[in-house]
Amino acid sequence: MEISLTDKIALVTGASSGLGRHFARTLAASGARVAVAARRTDRLQDLAREIAAAGGQALPVALDVTDPASIDAAIARVAAELGPIDILVNNSGVATAKPALETTAEDWDGVMDTNLRGAFLVAQAVARHLVAAKRPGAIVNIASVTAMRTMGQLSAYAASKAGLDHLTRVLALEWARHGIRVNAIAPGYIETEINSAFFASPAGEAVIKRIPQRRLGQPSDLDGALMLLASDAGRYMTGATIIVDGGHVVSPL
Ligand SMILES: NC(=O)c1ccc[n+]([C@@H]2O[C@H](COP(=O)([O-])OP(=O)(O)OC[C@H]3O[C@@H](n4cnc5c(N)ncnc54)[C@H](OP(=O)(O)O)[C@@H]3O)[C@@H](O)[C@H]2O)c1
């Protein structure tokens, strides 16, 4: 089967850095026209120029996933300028690293508002458009291995990702009748600009030794799972979470 996204329209949230930026490049290289969304629009414009220079098409769109009005405006803009959305990569996320005893209500709400409420509201807004237009679609939520395993200092983050992982199954159930597939990717440690300094440190090297494959993931290690879930190659998959972690969650206790 050929995996092509030609003529598909994709929305990638959190495309201004890290994994979202990479996902947008990957989808565009496969033929999709990609709306790249986040709050830092200067970075989105750079990315759109980069994608255009590589022969693709991208539309920078301002989006704050904690604000329902911003979500509606962003999706309306994508529909008006690119057309109806076929693929959503629900990737925006934040992490607060603090011991649970020191985590404030504001810390908790900040993480949940972006990672769980925000992801739900964006998925819901895209699904409403798909249902109204009677079009099928594919939603790919970006969860984390912290949805399945524990890690100190990440109580709100891990709980938000466990919520997103389960939300994936509930939405898959509700929206299957509309032809909307909802799946998730649970990445392990993937090297991006914000964590590469940590992983070069002795503490970071110790973490890498606990990964069975003995290396960090690279953003491109997620391409196979992304393309499977976003394309017709994954047409009979819904409610699934694909773990991409070099074996980290099966490491021994
Ligand atoms: N890197 C890893 O090892 C790893 C592992 C497992 C899961 N993940 C997940 O993968 C996703 C991307 O992570 P990353 O490592 O690429 O982190 P990152 O570089 O910090 O990217 C996070 C993205 O989320 C966006 N964002 C944050 N708050 C937002 C808001 N209110 N509205 C819209 N966008 C918002 C940011 O854009 P703006 O600030 O411009 O809005 C940014 O583009 C996250 O969901 C993360 O939990 C990452």
Side-chain angles (χ1 to χ4, degrees), residues 14-20 38-40 63-66 91-94 114 142-144 157 161 187-190 192 194-195:
S16 58
S17 68
L19 303 187
R39 294 167 301 179
R40 289 171 293 173
L63 170 68
D64 181 345
V65 301
T66 65
N91 166 77
S92 287
V94 292
T114 305
I142 306 303
S144 160
Y157 179 81
K161 292 298 184 177
Y189 289 121
I190 310 295
T192 61
I194 56 167
N195 62 24

Side-chain angles (χ1 to χ4, degrees), residues 139 141 166-183 237-240:
I139 295 175
N141 293 324
H166 196 57
L167 180 66
T168 299
R169 291 183 282 277
V170 179
L171 298 183
L173 169 69
E174 284 205 26
W175 296 344
R177 74 200 68 172
H178 300 296
I180 302 170
R181 298 185 299 104
V182 188
N183 294 289
M237 295 180 72
T238 197

